Amino acid sequence: MEPVLRMENISKTFPGVRALEDVNIEVFPNEIVGLVGENGAGKSTLVKILAGVYRADKGEIFLRGQKVGIKNPNDARALGIGMVFQEQAVLPNMRVYENLFLGREKFFVRRGTLDQKLMMQEATKILEEVGLELSPQVYVHELNFMERQMVEIARNIWLARQARVDYPIIILDEPTTVLEEEEIERLFNKLRELKKRVSFIYISHRLKEVVELCDRVYVLKDGQNAGCFFHEEVSEELLRSRMVGRELHEEYYLASKQREPAEKVVLELRNCTKRDAFYDISFRLHQGEILSLCGTVGSGKEELCRALYGEVKLDSGEIWMERERVNINSPDQAFALGIGYISEDRRNEGLILHLPIFENITLPIVHRLVWGFLVKRKEQFRLSQEMINKLRIKAPSPSVLCFNLSGGNQQKVVIAKWLLSQVKVLIMSHPTRGVDVGAKHEIYALIREMAENGMAMIVMGDSFEEDIGLANRIIVMKDGRISGVLDATESKPAPSDLIQYVV
Amino acid sequence: MDKGKLLALSVVAVLFAVLAFSSPQAFLSRYNIGTLLDYAATYFIAAIGLTFVIMIGSIDLSVGGMLSLFTVVFVLALNYFGFWAYFITIGLGFLLGMANGLVFTKLKIPSFIGTFGTSGVFASLALIVSGGRPIGLRPQALSLLNPLTFELGPIKGSHLLAFVLFGIFFLIQNSTPFGKYVAAIGHSERATLLSGIKVDRTKIFCFALSGLSAALASIVLVSRMLSGDPTIGTPYQLQVIAAVVVGGTALTGGVGGVFNTLLGTLIITLVGNGLYVVGIDVYYQMIITGIITMVAVILTLDRTKIKVVK
């Protein structure tokens, strides 16, 4: 059988990061093809090239045997390639049929006005086809996430048909992240039904679902092909080992440099509760300790960290720092107490992209670098240059805009900022997200070094492996409560030990 | 100097050259240059504080209302309290600006609406305090305006004041922690907040500076008119915002600064003055003003750093 899609030797480099190197994939008719890999393995880059968001530096794309050039999302759409994004692209304040035909209203114009009746007819037809039993009149905000996803899929199928493609390819990017167990099952049934007419590329971190659903699974690792398995032979363990591509030897996280934390308690939580987020949380954080917070989305760990940084107000409970009870009502109060926070959204919350490195690094302490009223620019430069050398940030000078740095170097700037302001407690939400493997390793080394110098850290890692590898101690949260505490200083627990507390 | 500022500067130079060549007698006359500087100084002083407000992505629509109120207050204070009038007016400007900032940050009312509201309050207060009529200066108070009215050739005290203020605010913008916070908030308020910066306090101070500069501009206005006029501010409001924006400070925040505002002021005043000097029909003047304003923004605004133009 001939593949619907063949991507050959696709390569793509971003400034400082090689995202893809000679990647090949094929998609056949009636197939759901899985695409898995760690963060930064190149999955999204690959599908974004297919969807016309990025352009490959090298490589060719064949659709139904014909070589095609996809320069922008419109080209992709005209070729019957659609993408359903993780962040859903439907507009909740509009009705289902309006969403279905958004941007394609021209098709329904009769005598200069929109023919609503025709739109409704067409909408009913396409909804029926994807097996969605709801009125096209309903507002999208009334739908659950699974239904919204189906609306997007329906929209993509309809668009493909308009482009006279009867065998569309639809990319699903982490479609189940926000779905309940039951909805996931319903979505899968619909997808199995639909694959008679559509080929799917399915990206997910949830290996269990990939194994269950996909006919074939591609593994990417560090921007390269790392295996392709049929439904019959695939298993979670197999995928995991291919994704990591190495025995998870502890040295990856520099466990040999791990230190026993000091006796001194720097931060203590006593029975902290925030309704609808977390309940009755108590723990102690010691000087030089790395504490991992594990749990699914909705376990309350994110809110807990935000409460420690003054962005969420506690309903009850006490926070103590070095034997003093403290109130934390805003990020500046948290900072004044010696707490720093690294957001997972580096580009919007971590740093100010359009300001130079030295302004970013010295921002929290710039009020201390003054002579009278005036900031000592030389001092700003000197301290920043010190940090650039120490953290090996790849930048020609401190006055380079952060915008021009790679993800890994941007993250180092964020860490440098907190290192320079000498915080005692650093909360890190996904510190290695979107960072390539080399930079990841350097960030782990930095975290170890900071711990050795006495900084206490709370980490929410990108994977269980990362959490286990880095931490002295792991606290697992489930439904807003602490469901387990594991020691990881003496010996490292296995991910399977953790999972029982997570779900 | 970046591209935007260079372009704004060339716009100023071109405008000046065109006017100087087309009607040298009228345009380059000592009287006209004096008028030009008078207007530029007033606009610039009023716009300099507003620049900070716009830099953080907010707006202050009460500058006009404050101008009306403060000219009245200043004249009354000169008549009754003498030299203290300067301190009273400037202090009041700072306080009312701060009130704007508090309405914005603490009541969480968008600055567009909040300052639109206070603008009405200030304009009404001006009418109430003055009884709706311009208030004249007592002759014995005239000498108190000497610091602004003394002349050195075509340059007056008020022009020097504008120049000194430019220097001070330029330093504030580039070399104080506050100035750094303003730029940071303008680019990314979230990232600034999460860096432990007191964002609200910074915003309030921006509005306070806008009030302060409106007060200073009122003082300069009074030194020219020798009276306080409770309706003078209204036509100034949009001109002052235009001076900031034409110079290349983005309404979305982060990009621009007081040097841009200086250039923007010069563009606005040169265009306004030039059309009269060259003798263009009043009916056509607004067409040309509009077009030049748009062209200036096309040239000066550095769009590479702005995601969305609103």
Side-chain angles (χ1 to χ4, degrees), chain A residues 309 311 331-332 335 341 343 348-349 351-352 354-355 359 363-364 366-367 370 373-375 377 380 417-418, chain B residues 171 174-177 180-181 183-185 187-188 190-199 304-307:
Chain A
Y309 205 57
E311 285 230 290
D332 65 82
F335 175 65
Y341 177 80
S343 163
N348 291 312
E349 301 196 332
L351 35 73
I352 298 158
H354 289 297
L355 286 183
E359 298 280 21
L363 184 61
V366 73
H367 61 282
V370 290
F373 288 109
L374 302 181
V375 176
R377 196 182 172 86
Q380 274 186 305
K417 174 169 80 178
W418 296 121
Chain B
L171 266 187
N174 289 303
S175 304
T176 63
K180 307 263 177 199
Y181 300 158
I185 292 172
H187 280 298
S188 173
R190 282 291 295 163
T192 312
L193 183 76
L194 293 176
S195 293
I197 307 303
K198 294 187 166 93
V199 168
T304 55
K305 289 180 183 170
I306 304 170
K307 281 188 216 139

Side-chain angles (χ1 to χ4, degrees), chain A residues 34 36 202 204 206-214 217 239:
Chain A
V36 301
Y202 185 95
S204 182
R206 300 188 173 178
L207 300 182
K208 183 163 156 266
E209 295 170 4
V210 173
V211 168
E212 183 196 329
L213 177 74
C214 297
V217 184
L239 290 181

Side-chain angles (χ1 to χ4, degrees), chain A residues 115-244:
Chain A
D115 187 340
Q116 305 268 350
K117 216 171 171 186
L118 188 64
M119 285 175 94
M120 299 283 282
Q121 272 173 18
E122 193 74 9
T124 314
K125 216 162 75 192
I126 193 81
L127 288 177
E128 221 163 78
E129 223 171 290
V130 301
L132 207 55
E133 288 153 10
L134 49 88
S135 153
Q137 292 267 31
V138 176
Y139 281 101
V140 166
H141 68 77
E142 293 173 37
L143 306 186
N144 65 34
F145 286 111
M146 177 266 183
E147 288 167 331
R148 291 183 198 194
Q149 224 133 30
M150 290 307 295
V151 168
E152 279 200 77
I153 292 173
R155 173 179 152 80
N156 278 299
I157 293 176
W158 186 83
L159 281 172
R161 190 160 304 154
Q162 288 305 302
R164 306 196 183 290
V165 177
D166 20 69
Y167 222 94
I169 296 167
I170 295 180
I171 302 156
L172 302 171
D173 189 4
E174 300 277 359
T176 57
T177 320
V178 290
L179 299 190
E180 308 277 330
E181 197 79 10
E182 193 186 319
E183 289 181 329
I184 294 175
E185 207 39 55
R186 279 180 61 206
L187 177 73
F188 283 9
N189 286 334
K190 294 245 154 60
L191 294 182
R192 287 189 187 107
E193 189 63 30
L194 276 172
K195 75 176 178 182
K196 286 174 197 151
R197 273 168 292 130
V198 184
S199 292
F200 289 104
I201 298 178
Y202 185 95
I203 302 179
S204 182
H205 276 111
R206 300 188 173 178
L207 300 182
K208 183 163 156 266
E209 295 170 4
V210 173
V211 168
E212 183 196 329
L213 177 74
C214 297
D215 300 299
R216 225 150 37 88
V217 184
Y218 281 96
V219 183
L220 290 185
K221 178 187 171 296
D222 303 341
Q224 293 176 318
N225 281 94
C228 172
F229 307 99
F230 284 95
H231 184 71
E232 293 73 29
E233 55 180 333
V234 79
S235 72
E236 279 184 68
E237 292 75 60
L238 180 62
L239 290 181
R240 196 169 287 128
S241 70
R242 287 303 175 107
M243 278 164 61
V244 182

Side-chain angles (χ1 to χ4, degrees), chain A residues 322-335:
Chain A
E322 295 180 344
R323 292 195 204 132
E324 248 182 274
R325 189 170 167 194
V326 295
N327 282 315
I328 305 177
N329 296 318
S330 63
D332 65 82
Q333 285 180 4
F335 175 65

Side-chain angles (χ1 to χ4, degrees), chain A residues 401-420:
Chain A
L401 295 188
C402 289
F403 185 77
N404 296 326
L405 300 179
S406 70
N409 283 305
Q410 285 179 350
Q411 192 68 321
K412 285 189 199 169
V413 170
V414 179
I415 294 174
K417 174 169 80 178
W418 296 121
L419 207 52
L420 187 62

Side-chain angles (χ1 to χ4, degrees), chain A residues 258 292 463-471 474 488 492-495 498:
Chain A
Q258 181 160 319
S292 276
S463 62
F464 288 149
E465 283 79 6
E466 190 173 280
D467 281 320
I468 295 167
L470 284 176
I474 300 162
K492 296 282 179 194
L498 261 176

